[in-house]
Amino acid sequence: MTTQATDNGIARIGIVTVSDRASRGEYEDLGGPAIKKELSEILTSVWEAVPRVISDDQALIESTLKQLADEEDCCLIVTTGGTGPAPRDVTPEATEAVSEKLMPGFGELMRQVSLKFVPTAILSRQTACIRGKSLIINLPGKPSAIKDCLDAVFPAVPYCIDLIEGPYLETDESICKAFRPKSK
């Protein structure tokens, strides 16, 4: 099986904060560090974060996702921000524009989980897709919602990455039990 790990066996994971204010340095990026913290708790595999903080610009989001997938060889790209209904919220549109296969179940589950905490979760437009050998997942911007959503979808992430010929990701089963079919 082909792996998408670097030459030293380290899986690469893109973490993209989409925020006009954070990209200008007017606002502290809380979303990207929240994603990194959550992944550090979930994953026992060796991995490397490839962080980006960019503005809410569709062309820039698209080019960043393409770069992380196609050039940086990230097996997983997780975005935060830009998933609401405001005019500048274009992360889902950018994600769909670079997609080879949409993965709507991720967004459906994230909204379902978020509805347990806030009725405005129906306004969120998180989505996920496959581009080449990369799984791209859009998360909301609030750190507590990032944790809730990652906890919900991550059991399916390692197997999805297996299916697209990415590196074998292992999780701390006391935090997140990854699903993989039983071998025959």
Side-chain angles (χ1 to χ4, degrees), residues 123-154:
L123 301 177
S124 187
R125 300 178 310 118
Q126 295 106 314
T127 191
C129 75
I130 304 296
R131 177 180 177 87
K133 293 183 180 182
S134 300
L135 171 62
I136 302 171
I137 304 172
N138 298 155
L139 297 175
K142 186 177 173 188
S144 62
I146 287 169
K147 178 174 177 26
D148 295 334
C149 290
L150 268 180
D151 286 350
V153 300
F154 213 86

Side-chain angles (χ1 to χ4, degrees), residues 50 52 61-74 77 131:
V50 184
R52 301 286 189 271
I61 299 166
E62 288 178 27
S63 66
T64 300
L65 295 175
K66 287 177 184 177
Q67 179 199 36
L68 290 170
D70 304 346
E71 298 168 29
E72 295 287 345
D73 294 323
C74 293
I77 302 165
R131 177 180 177 87

Side-chain angles (χ1 to χ4, degrees), residues 46-92:
V46 179
W47 66 282
E48 166 183 29
V50 184
R52 301 286 189 271
V53 179
I54 60 174
S55 64
D56 288 280
D57 175 78
Q58 185 168 343
L60 179 58
I61 299 166
E62 288 178 27
S63 66
T64 300
L65 295 175
K66 287 177 184 177
Q67 179 199 36
L68 290 170
D70 304 346
E71 298 168 29
E72 295 287 345
D73 294 323
C74 293
C75 63
L76 175 63
I77 302 165
V78 186
T79 72
T80 178
T83 60
R88 297 277 303 158
D89 291 335
V90 294
T91 303

Side-chain angles (χ1 to χ4, degrees), residues 103-118 121-122 124-128 137-140 145-157 176-177 179:
M103 303 295 290
F106 283 86
E108 293 164 6
L109 179 57
M110 287 187 280
R111 279 184 291 282
Q112 181 182 18
V113 166
S114 296
L115 276 170
K116 295 175 184 175
F117 303 102
V118 59
I122 60 172
S124 187
R125 300 178 310 118
Q126 295 106 314
T127 191
I137 304 172
N138 298 155
L139 297 175
I146 287 169
K147 178 174 177 26
D148 295 334
C149 290
L150 268 180
D151 286 350
V153 300
F154 213 86
V157 169
C176 172
K177 184 168 174 44
F179 171 82

